[in-house]
Amino acid sequence: SGRIDLTQAEAVNDMIQANTKENAQLAMAGIRGSVRKLLDPLIEALLDMIANIEVNIDYPEYEDIEEITQEKLLPKARAWIREIEGILQRADSGQIIREGIQTAIIGRPNVGKSSLLNALLEEEKAIVTDIAGTTRDIVEGHIRLEGGLQLNLIDTAGIRTTQDIIEQKGIEKSYQIMDQADLIIIVLDGSEPLQEEDERLLAMTEGRTRIVAWNKADLGTAHEGICISAKHEDIHPLTDEIHRLFDEHRIVLEQPSLANERQLSLMLMAKSAMLHAIDAMESGMELELVEIDLQECYT
């Protein structure tokens, strides 16, 4: 009935669905109109660009109207894009806070992946044995760390070369989960040298957000880095590193942010249209044609 906009209505639903203090904070900010306040300056700047072009097209004979050229419009468009990119970055952080960090625990068999999952969850969620290949399917669990970070944990099948068809299926699923993860925890056996499978996993995950954890520290290790003993639940170095990597995402609680996939999708479409407009201006295209992209960005 015009009393709240769509983003505020979505925030009401988010408040109903909120299962954590952090989610409730984000929803309350949305109800107060934080998303609209975030978008209003962008909309105003975009309409200003469109209006300047249209005035120049419709009233070219008026000498007191500032002539708009590609050179004058490009800095405004590039500044607009920079604002959008900052918003999208905060939106990613907000999604991590709302939905949790998709965390894949990977490694070759018998390095202690399932023991680590159990230690993080503080329960016997996964079966642990000395037999290689015990975990053949994914095992999931959820944990909330101190400070509000939620880990959506997935213990994967040990990655190795095997002729067992069932185990092969589990390993294929491990690769799929690894591709989709926000965080990859590579578990290595700290009591022995690196194996060929270890080196292959390290190479595959190069450039990804990952933590390399040397397990079995209770047996002694000469390796440097994050050393843990999942068997004895001595995993504080690992959780400290998770906080170091992801605590910065909590800053989104203090700033306006997009709240859901619909808003994020529309923002990405607007960014794409503005990038087309910038490309057109850089190539010297007439502003009448550039305006088409700006209108698409607005809608």
Side-chain angles (χ1 to χ4, degrees):
S1 301
R3 300 186 65 179
I4 60 174
D5 64 22
L6 179 55
T7 62
Q8 290 172 297
E10 289 174 323
V12 172
N13 182 62
D14 290 340
M15 176 61 77
I16 295 170
Q17 302 295 330
N19 55 5
T20 68
K21 176 184 175 182
E22 290 73 22
N23 286 349
Q25 283 181 260
L26 290 170
M28 184 56 69
I31 292 172
R32 294 192 183 109
S34 64
V35 175
R36 185 68 192 184
K37 293 173 185 175
L38 181 70
L39 299 181
D40 278 345
L42 292 170
I43 294 171
E44 184 177 341
L46 185 56
L47 288 175
D48 182 62
M49 285 185 271
I50 293 171
N52 284 332
I53 293 175
E54 291 184 346
V55 166
N56 276 257
I57 294 172
D58 294 339
Y59 304 102
E61 68 277 10
Y62 288 98
E63 296 181 357
D64 58 341
I65 295 176
E66 179 188 6
E67 181 183 1
I68 294 297
T69 63
Q70 286 88 342
E71 290 75 15
K72 291 181 179 179
L73 207 57
L74 267 171
K76 296 181 180 180
R78 289 170 179 152
W80 197 90
I81 282 291
R82 287 194 294 271
E83 288 293 326
I84 287 288
E85 287 173 344
I87 291 170
L88 291 173
Q89 185 175 5
R90 292 198 298 274
D92 289 340
S93 297
Q95 186 172 13
I96 284 175
I97 290 176
R98 281 188 296 272
E99 300 179 8
I101 305 164
Q102 299 300 116
T103 306
I105 303 174
I106 66 169
R108 58 185 171 86
N110 274 13
V111 294
K113 299 184 304 300
S114 296
S115 295
L116 176 57
L117 176 75
N118 291 341
L120 285 165
L121 296 176
E122 298 181 351
E123 64 171 297
E124 295 297 319
K125 183 82 172 183
I127 299 173
V128 177
T129 74
D130 293 329
I131 302 171
T134 301
T135 302
R136 298 190 173 198
D137 203 351
I138 63 172
V139 181
E140 300 181 60
H142 306 276
I143 180 177
R144 182 160 296 279
L145 300 178
E146 183 180 350
L149 283 179
Q150 177 175 305
L151 299 185
N152 300 327
L153 297 163
I154 305 174
D155 177 24
T156 62
I159 295 176
R160 64 171 177 171
T161 301
T162 178
Q163 301 302 315
D164 188 303
I165 296 177
I166 297 176
E167 191 175 352
Q168 285 177 358
K169 291 290 185 182
I171 293 170
E172 289 173 10
K173 193 175 292 186
S174 297
Y175 286 129
Q176 294 172 6
I177 290 167
M178 188 166 57
D179 289 338
Q180 299 166 3
D182 299 316
L183 170 64
I184 299 171
I185 299 176
I186 301 179
V187 183
L188 304 175
D189 189 334
S191 66
E192 60 184 36
L194 279 177
Q195 305 296 309
E196 183 179 344
E197 291 94 341
D198 300 328
E199 293 176 347
R200 185 156 57 91
L201 284 174
L202 290 170
M204 286 177 59
T205 58
E206 187 70 36
R208 298 288 302 277
T209 302
R210 73 179 186 186
I211 298 175
V212 178
W214 298 94
N215 192 30
K216 304 185 182 180
D218 52 298
L219 300 179
T221 177
H223 300 285
E224 296 183 357
I226 297 170
C227 299
I228 61 173
S229 174
K231 179 179 179 181
H232 296 284
E233 299 185 356
D234 181 12
I235 57 173
H236 296 296
L238 174 62
T239 55
D240 288 346
E241 180 65 9
I242 294 171
H243 277 295
R244 189 189 71 79
L245 287 174
F246 288 96
D247 272 353
E248 64 183 25
H249 292 276
R250 291 176 52 79
I251 196 172
V252 76
L253 294 174
E254 303 168 9
Q255 301 179 18
S257 175
L258 302 181
N260 56 45
E261 289 294 334
R262 183 192 71 84
Q263 295 172 11
L264 181 60
S265 175
L266 290 173
M267 186 65 78
L268 288 170
M269 290 170 62
K271 178 184 176 182
S272 177
M274 182 60 81
L275 289 174
H276 285 153
I278 291 173
D279 288 341
M281 284 187 277
E282 289 176 338
S283 64
M285 192 172 291
E286 294 295 328
L287 290 180
E288 292 93 329
L289 299 176
V290 172
E291 188 193 354
I292 296 173
D293 287 321
L294 295 179
Q295 290 284 3
E296 182 180 349
C297 182
Y298 175 69
T299 56

